[in-house]
Amino acid sequence: MLTIDNLHVTYGNVVALRGVSLEVGEGEIVAVIGPNGAGKSTLLLTAAGLVRPRTGSVAFDGRSVASLQPEALVASGLSLVPEGRHIFGSLSVAENLALGATVRHDRAEIARDVERVLTMFPVLRDRYRQRSGKLSGGEQQMLAIGRAMLARPRLLLLDEPSLGLAPLVVEQVYAAIQELRRSGVTVLVVEQNASRALAAADRTYVLNTGVVRLTGRSDDIRGTPAFEAAYFGVQAGAAG
């Protein structure tokens, strides 16, 4: 579903990604983990068509994302939940969810999908008419995921979904990710929380200083010396 090949991304003289290649198959949960500054967010922003690579390619369903505007990518089935959630605090939960469906025109189906989100995250039903800026960090993360779901993605990109959340809320967010996969959504998740991502993902890429240092099935690499070396053994220096 997603193919990234030999990706190089720079910000001025700073190299963020160096020859990164990655694949996500339909129906998978794939994790990209690494320390702060490894280039993880840059990777997702490039996959979502928001950052242009210096060299290399990104293809979604066999089509280059370089030829598509971000809104066209969303309409084709790729949605990004960015780091920091980026919800509109002055708008209500209902209004934020509605923004996720702006690429759609099937009102009856939109209403059904809103109900699905509220069933998955009952706290959003309780807060439905409240301003989103008054939500806790965990509730805002649930809202950001729910808003992305309203675009009916086939591939969901999640950037640091557990960042700053209490352990119980992290478990709720990852339970929702598993529910999304069961409903047919493919997931690429970027995380600094290595243990949580490894537990959730089918396959994992370890990114450090903009380079993929290790990849494999999550159960095979978890807790191995190779994983420890890939995650901790190189000094982080890339942007992202």
Side-chain angles (χ1 to χ4, degrees):
M1 184 171 283
L2 182 71
T3 304
I4 295 173
D5 183 46
N6 197 27
L7 201 65
H8 289 76
V9 177
T10 59
Y11 299 111
N13 294 324
V14 178
V15 180
L17 298 175
R18 314 164 190 260
V20 170
S21 296
L22 176 150
E23 290 187 347
V24 181
E26 186 172 359
E28 284 191 302
I29 297 177
V30 173
V32 177
I33 62 177
N36 187 40
K40 305 184 301 296
S41 293
T42 294
L43 179 63
L44 280 200
L45 291 170
T46 308
L50 298 170
V51 170
R52 297 300 181 193
R54 181 165 61 85
T55 59
S57 63
V58 180
F60 173 55
D61 263 356
R63 185 178 180 186
S64 172
V65 304
S67 63
L68 297 173
Q69 292 297 316
E71 57 270 24
L73 263 176
V74 172
S76 68
L78 186 152
S79 290
L80 168 67
V81 179
E83 181 182 351
R85 297 131 199 170
H86 291 213
I87 66 163
F88 295 91
S90 62
L91 301 182
S92 69
V93 168
E95 290 166 331
N96 269 277
L97 290 175
L99 289 174
T102 53
V103 298
R104 298 171 55 184
H105 305 287
D106 49 341
R107 291 187 178 182
E109 291 297 316
I110 289 171
R112 277 190 276 272
D113 287 345
V114 168
E115 180 59 29
R116 177 188 173 203
V117 168
L118 299 181
T119 299
M120 183 176 292
F121 300 120
V123 69
L124 297 183
R125 190 187 303 276
D126 298 337
R127 309 279 194 271
Y128 194 60
R129 298 298 176 187
Q130 292 183 15
R131 284 178 53 190
S132 300
K134 295 185 177 297
L135 301 181
S136 70
E139 290 163 353
Q140 289 183 8
Q141 185 65 70
M142 294 172 190
L143 176 56
I145 294 173
R147 182 179 60 189
M149 288 170 57
L150 262 294
R152 279 201 172 172
R154 292 181 297 118
L155 173 62
L156 184 62
L157 310 180
L158 291 167
D159 194 355
E160 300 282 9
S162 72
L163 187 65
L165 303 185
L168 180 59
V169 180
V170 171
E171 292 304 313
Q172 292 174 323
V173 167
Y174 270 90
I177 292 171
Q178 295 291 350
E179 176 61 28
L180 287 172
R181 192 253 286 274
R182 286 191 288 271
S183 71
V185 179
T186 301
V187 178
L188 175 61
V189 58
V190 152
E191 268 285 9
Q192 196 170 344
N193 184 339
S195 61
R196 197 61 197 81
L198 283 163
D202 303 301
R203 294 186 299 110
T204 296
Y205 292 79
V206 181
L207 190 67
N208 201 330
T209 62
V211 177
V212 174
R213 304 289 178 179
L214 180 68
T215 183
R217 293 197 60 81
S218 301
D219 288 342
D220 294 337
I221 68 174
R222 182 182 353 205
T224 64
F227 170 76
E228 299 291 332
Y231 193 99
F232 298 108
V234 181
Q235 291 297 316

